[in-house]
């Protein structure tokens, strides 16, 4: 380790924390030009944040690729995420698998957590059991999300032996980090949260089934006017919790922008929400979004950023339509991505009472059930706005309601 380089990197990061971005970029550029991989990665991240995600900075990607050639795990991982963006680079499942496997060998925590989720859904019996060890390793290397998932596996005995006392301790630690996990079981006691021995993982992991992770079931048509379709068990309980944990700690009161461009508390949606920035997504989250887009019958490229929402008792989303006013989108004929065509909602839990999705003009309600997915159209096949798509999130009466929403445009909208 080059001590001066590390000191300068820390200085650059302090500058970024102080919002002195120009100075930080200058220092990071000097370090990057000296083949300092962490500086290359940090510089790329800053450049990506500064640019519109529909027009990523080519220099940023170049720095990431250079850091990847130096076997810097975070850069390899970020390139793995970006490789899932068809509009950016041609998707090569084998190349993605190689990157993910390399990151796991280097014990990159997000990659280990990704691998656990992939094996849980697409793996054989041995791989599903291995998923618990992958979560153990991810948690030991700093992933609080993996720690939260591990606690629930140990509480339920999913793909292994249950350990309620250890699960209780992990749940308490995860909750302290902002993870939306269940409260400890008062009847189970507490045990040391660390594993009795470090998990033993193979040198190479098989990700040949990656493509099957994004396959979506056919929808059941509920109503034709707004093309309302749904499917059950679209997400597993572990996948539902994963999405909640990724965004839960960052939730903020829902806001909207008025015609003058001023942000204000949302008067029709009294929830909390979090927008997943494409620059910071994980491989698993990107794959889950690809599955949601596949259920919608559209490429993920057409989607806006994924939104996580949480409704507490009494909170609701008043009747509204998802299509945008003319001032908020650019028509296809003018070179834009067009209007919102389709909405996809994934329900991440089952509220104790209330929280249905209602369609007042269609006389129907769809219950919020964990794992269920719902889609409907904001535009009719002839291109006219679909007034029948009027919908509402009815008030939650007991418990919480967690959903994530993907709005998909008529044509390609994002690149990352």
């Amino acid at each position: 380790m080059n001590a001066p380089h590390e000191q300068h990197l820390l200085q650059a990061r302090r500058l970024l924390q102080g919002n002195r971005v120009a100075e930080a970029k200058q220092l990071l550029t000097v370090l990057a030009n000296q083949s300092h991989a962490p500086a290359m990665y940090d510089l790329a991240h800053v450049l990506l944040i500064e640019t519109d995600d529909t027009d990523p900075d080519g220099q940023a990607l170049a720095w990431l690729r250079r850091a990847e050639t130096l076997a810097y795990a975070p850069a390899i991982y970020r390139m793995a995420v970006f490789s899932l963006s068809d509009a950016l680079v041609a998707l090569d499942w084998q190349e993605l698998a190689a990157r993910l496997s390399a990151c796991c060998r280097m014990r990159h925590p997000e990659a280990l957590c990704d691998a656990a989720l992939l094996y849980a859904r697409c793996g054989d019996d041995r791989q599903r059991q291995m998923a618990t060890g992958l979560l153990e390793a991810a948690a030991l290397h700093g992933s609080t999300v993996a720690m939260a998932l591990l606690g629930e596996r140990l509480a339920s005995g999913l793909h292994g032996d249950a350990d309620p006392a250890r699960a209780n301790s992990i749940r308490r630690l995860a909750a302290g980090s902002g993870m939306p996990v269940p409260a400890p079981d008062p009847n189970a006691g507490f045990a040391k949260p660390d594993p009795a021995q470090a998990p033993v993982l193979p040198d190479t992991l098989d990700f040949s089934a990656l493509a099957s992770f994004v396959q979506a079931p056919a929808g059941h048509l509920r109503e034709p006017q707004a093309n309302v379709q749904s499917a059950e068990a679209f997400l597993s309980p572990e996948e539902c919790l994963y999405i909640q944990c990724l965004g839960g700690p960052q939730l903020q009161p829902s806001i909207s922008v008025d015609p003058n461009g001023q942000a204000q508390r949302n008067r029709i949606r009294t929830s909390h929400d979090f927008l997943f920035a494409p620059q910071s997504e994980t491989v698993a989250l990107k794959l889950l979004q690809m599955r949601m887009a596949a259920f919608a019958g559209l490429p993920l490229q057409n989607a806006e950023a994924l939104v996580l929402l949480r409704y507490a008792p009494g909170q609701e989303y008043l009747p509204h339509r998802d299509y945008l006013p003319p001032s908020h989108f650019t028509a296809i004929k003018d070179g834009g991505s067009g209007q919102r065509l389709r909405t996809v909602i994934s329900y991440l839990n089952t509220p104790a009472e209330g929280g249905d999705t209602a369609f007042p003009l269609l006389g129907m309600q769809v219950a919020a059930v964990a794992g269920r997915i719902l889609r409907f159209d904001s535009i009719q096949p002839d291109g006219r706005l679909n007034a029948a798509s009027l919908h509402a999130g009815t008030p939650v009466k007991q418990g919480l309601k967690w959903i994530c929403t993907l709005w998909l445009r008529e044509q390609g909208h994002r690149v990352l």
Side-chain angles (χ1 to χ4, degrees):
M1 179 181 294
N2 187 312
H5 282 176
E6 297 306 313
Q7 291 172 3
H8 290 147
L9 180 64
L10 290 174
Q11 181 184 353
R13 289 174 175 172
R14 285 194 291 267
L15 289 170
L16 289 172
Q17 291 173 353
N19 203 31
R20 296 164 64 182
V21 178
E23 295 172 72
K25 282 171 60 180
Q26 186 176 14
L27 186 51
L28 288 172
T29 301
V30 171
L31 291 172
N33 281 319
Q34 296 173 8
S35 298
H36 190 268
M40 294 176 185
Y41 178 81
D42 285 8
L43 179 58
H45 190 68
V46 172
L47 292 172
L48 287 170
I49 289 175
E50 287 185 332
T51 58
D52 185 345
D53 66 348
T54 62
D55 184 23
D57 191 297
Q59 188 180 11
L61 297 177
W63 283 122
L64 281 177
R65 290 190 176 99
R66 284 185 60 182
E68 182 179 27
T69 64
L70 297 174
Y72 186 55
I76 299 172
Y77 185 76
R78 191 52 43 201
M79 287 305 301
V81 177
F82 290 165
S83 73
L84 289 165
S85 304
D86 278 339
L88 187 63
V89 292
L91 175 57
D92 184 326
W93 289 106
Q94 291 185 337
E95 186 177 64
L96 171 63
R99 281 178 166 136
L100 197 55
S101 184
C103 288
C104 288
R105 284 197 302 273
M106 290 184 271
R107 300 300 186 256
H108 187 278
E110 283 76 22
L112 291 166
C113 190
D114 293 336
L117 289 162
L118 292 166
Y119 278 178
R121 172 169 285 271
C122 305
D124 55 28
D125 289 341
R126 181 186 64 84
Q127 289 171 327
R128 282 193 290 270
Q129 292 175 3
M130 190 191 303
T132 303
L134 289 163
L135 290 176
E136 291 271 19
L140 289 171
H141 285 82
S143 172
T144 53
V145 173
M147 178 173 64
L149 300 184
L150 174 64
E152 299 319 296
R153 275 183 167 244
L154 295 175
S156 65
L158 177 68
H159 304 313
D161 295 330
D163 191 340
R166 187 173 168 227
N168 268 356
S169 297
I170 292 175
R171 280 175 166 174
R172 185 164 59 185
L173 286 171
S177 298
M179 298 292 106
V181 295
D185 180 353
N187 300 315
F190 293 86
K192 183 179 177 183
D194 297 329
Q197 59 185 24
V200 178
L201 303 178
D203 291 334
T204 58
L205 295 173
D206 178 14
F207 293 115
S208 58
L210 261 174
S212 63
F213 191 82
V214 304
Q215 293 176 355
H220 164 68
L221 181 64
R222 287 173 172 260
E223 202 286 328
Q225 288 189 63
N227 192 21
V228 182
Q229 301 184 35
S230 66
E232 308 305 308
F234 181 86
L235 296 176
S236 71
E238 192 166 65
E239 290 165 349
C240 289
L241 179 60
Y242 175 71
I243 298 173
Q244 292 176 52
C245 288
L246 279 179
Q250 287 84 238
L251 288 169
Q252 297 291 332
S254 298
I255 62 171
S256 60
V257 178
D258 65 22
N260 297 318
Q262 298 297 314
Q264 57 186 2
R265 285 293 297 271
N266 200 315
R267 293 189 294 271
I268 66 168
R269 185 176 69 198
T270 55
S271 59
H272 285 67
D273 63 27
F274 173 70
L275 190 76
F276 289 100
Q279 300 93 336
S280 304
E281 289 174 328
T282 65
V283 168
L285 184 65
K286 184 77 79 173
L287 291 170
L288 288 169
Q289 290 178 81
M290 290 175 69
R291 193 191 307 164
M292 292 174 68
F295 180 73
L298 295 166
L300 183 59
Q301 180 188 352
N302 288 31
E304 299 177 24
L306 183 70
V307 181
L308 174 68
L309 298 112
R310 185 196 66 197
Y311 293 83
Q315 293 184 332
E316 62 181 322
Y317 200 163
L318 295 175
H320 65 285
R321 298 178 179 91
D322 286 345
Y323 50 70
L324 299 167
S327 60
H328 284 61
F329 74 95
T330 302
I332 295 173
K333 64 181 178 62
D334 296 323
S337 56
Q339 180 62 270
R340 286 177 175 171
L341 169 62
R342 193 159 288 152
T343 295
V344 180
I345 300 172
S346 289
Y347 299 93
L348 305 179
N349 79 317
T350 304
E353 185 179 359
D356 294 354
T357 301
F359 293 85
L361 299 181
L362 302 177
M364 64 178 295
Q365 292 199 163
V366 179
V369 175
R372 172 177 286 170
I373 191 167
L374 178 73
R375 56 169 272 195
F376 55 89
D377 289 356
S378 293
I379 300 178
Q380 299 182 54
D382 61 7
R384 291 181 298 160
L385 298 179
N386 194 340
S389 67
L390 183 74
H391 61 286
T394 62
V396 175
K397 297 180 180 179
Q398 291 186 48
L400 296 173
K401 172 186 173 182
W402 290 83
I403 64 172
C404 61
T405 299
L406 204 61
W407 290 294
L408 295 111
R409 302 290 188 95
E410 295 175 272
Q411 287 195 1
H413 180 71
R414 65 172 174 177
V415 174
L416 294 181

